[in-house]
């Protein structure tokens, strides 16, 4: 039996489950005037700008924090280091809203931090209200996505020849110089791969923005939700979705290219 015959069932399922709905979205977005109306709206431009700066800011934060934490786990001996490294793998399976919910318990309006503040000072309310602002969304995204940077970094550090570190140390190089001249060049491919993945996921993140309750923060996924569910403006929602898909596919292609060079 030809090999192509075996390919027909999975291709048919893929076409029915994914390609057909996607084609309907694209078709709906081609409604007369839909693109011009959306591109001309201030809401779309604001959502696009918010999505980009949140994604870029979260990616930069994840790269910096992930690199520092991966350095500590990989090169600073401490009790439970291996358990922490294994926990990173478990953390990757957590849903994003769970992390946001945990932050709400700590820093929410009626969270632990505000409760402690009011108990100590007797004030009517606590000072922590940033979770409902763009900075709260940024903090939640950095908290959730940092392990996605740490995982490839830890894999890269595990393959690093420790003899290079010993030679550099024996020649009098300080730890900061060793990190800058020896470790960082080896980590750059893993940083690029992890950063590209985080950037793609942040562009499409919906649960974190929704669960923080940041009403003034509208990203492209939130705009799709608002147009489709709240306003029943399906052509506009499909236009925003197509734009989001185009950006995501472009960045995912970049991520795969970087991943192939890294060997991930």
């Amino acid at each position: 039996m030809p090999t192509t015959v075996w390919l027909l069932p999975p291709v048919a399922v893929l076409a029915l489950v994914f390609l057909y709905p996607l084609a309907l979205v694209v078709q709906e977005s081609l409604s007369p005037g839909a693109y011009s109306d959306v591109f001309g709206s201030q809401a779309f431009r604001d959502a696009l700008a918010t999505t980009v700066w949140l994604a870029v800011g979260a990616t930069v934060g994840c790269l910096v924090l992930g690199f520092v934490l991966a350095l500590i786990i990989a090169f600073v001996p401490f009790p439970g280091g291996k358990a922490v490294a294994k926990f990173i793998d478990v953390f990757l399976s957590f849903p994003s809203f769970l992390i946001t919910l945990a932050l709400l318990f700590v820093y929410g309006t009626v969270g632990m931090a505000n409760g402690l503040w009011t108990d100590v000072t007797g004030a009517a309310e606590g000072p922590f209200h940033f979770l409902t602002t763009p900075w709260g969304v940024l903090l939640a995204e950095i908290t959730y996505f940092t392990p996605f940077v740490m995982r490839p970094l830890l894999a890269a550090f595990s393959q690093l020849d420790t003899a290079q570190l010993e030679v550099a140390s024996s020649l009098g190089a300080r730890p900061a110089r060793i990190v800058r001249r020896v470790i960082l060049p080896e980590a750059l491919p893993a940083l690029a791969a992890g950063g590209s993945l985080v950037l793609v996921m942040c562009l499409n993140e919906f649960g974190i923005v929704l669960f923080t309750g940041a009403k003034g923060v509208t990203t492209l996924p939130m705009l799709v939700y608002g147009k489709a569910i709240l306003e029943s403006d399906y052509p506009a929602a499909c236009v925003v979705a197509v734009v989001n898909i185009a950006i995501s596919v472009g960045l995912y292609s970049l991520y795969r290219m970087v991943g192939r060079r890294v060997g991930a």
Side-chain angles (χ1 to χ4, degrees):
M1 183 178 295
T3 306
T4 54
V5 175
W6 295 102
L7 294 177
L8 290 178
V11 170
V13 172
L14 178 64
L16 181 63
V17 174
F18 176 74
L19 296 180
Y20 179 65
L22 180 60
L24 291 179
V25 170
V26 175
Q27 181 182 5
E28 185 69 21
S29 73
L30 297 176
S31 299
Y35 277 91
S36 60
D37 290 344
V38 171
F39 289 171
S41 67
Q42 186 63 40
F44 171 76
R45 292 194 293 270
D46 291 343
L48 180 60
T50 300
T51 302
V52 171
W53 91 257
L54 278 176
V56 172
T59 301
V60 172
C62 289
L63 288 174
V64 174
L65 182 61
F67 182 71
V68 173
L69 293 178
L71 274 179
I72 295 173
I73 293 174
F75 300 111
V76 180
F78 64 93
K82 292 183 178 180
V84 173
K86 292 181 179 179
F87 176 74
I88 297 300
D89 295 331
V90 177
F91 189 94
L92 298 180
S93 65
F94 288 177
S96 59
F97 72 84
L98 184 62
I99 304 304
T100 309
L101 189 62
L103 290 175
L104 287 173
F105 276 125
V106 179
Y107 298 110
T109 304
V110 292
M112 296 170 56
N114 281 322
L116 181 62
W117 179 274
T118 54
D119 289 343
V120 172
T121 64
E125 60 180 19
F128 303 105
H129 304 287
F130 63 89
L131 277 184
T132 57
T133 69
W135 299 108
V137 176
L138 188 65
L139 172 64
E141 290 189 349
I142 292 175
T143 302
Y144 178 69
F145 289 114
T146 292
F148 289 86
V149 173
M150 295 176 62
R151 189 64 191 87
L153 279 175
L154 290 174
F157 290 159
S158 67
Q159 299 176 358
L160 183 64
D161 186 4
T162 56
Q164 300 180 47
L165 306 181
E166 295 173 357
V167 170
S169 179
S170 64
L171 293 176
R174 295 181 178 275
R177 184 177 177 85
I178 294 175
V179 171
R180 186 175 66 254
R181 300 296 297 272
V182 180
I183 298 178
L184 184 58
E186 295 292 332
L188 284 178
L191 280 171
S196 300
L197 178 60
V198 168
L199 183 61
V200 171
M201 292 190 296
C202 286
L203 284 170
N204 296 284
E205 181 55 43
F206 175 77
I208 287 178
V209 183
L210 183 65
F211 270 79
T212 54
K215 296 180 180 179
V217 180
T218 302
T219 59
L220 290 180
M222 288 294 294
L223 188 60
V224 173
Y225 173 80
K227 292 291 184 182
I229 306 301
L230 303 181
E231 301 178 20
S232 298
D233 188 355
Y234 295 108
C238 290
V239 169
V240 179
V242 168
V243 172
N244 205 13
I245 291 171
I247 296 174
S248 299
V249 170
L251 288 175
Y252 179 75
S253 300
L254 176 63
Y255 162 70
R256 292 302 302 168
M257 181 180 67
V258 173
R260 285 194 297 269
R261 291 185 178 183
V262 174

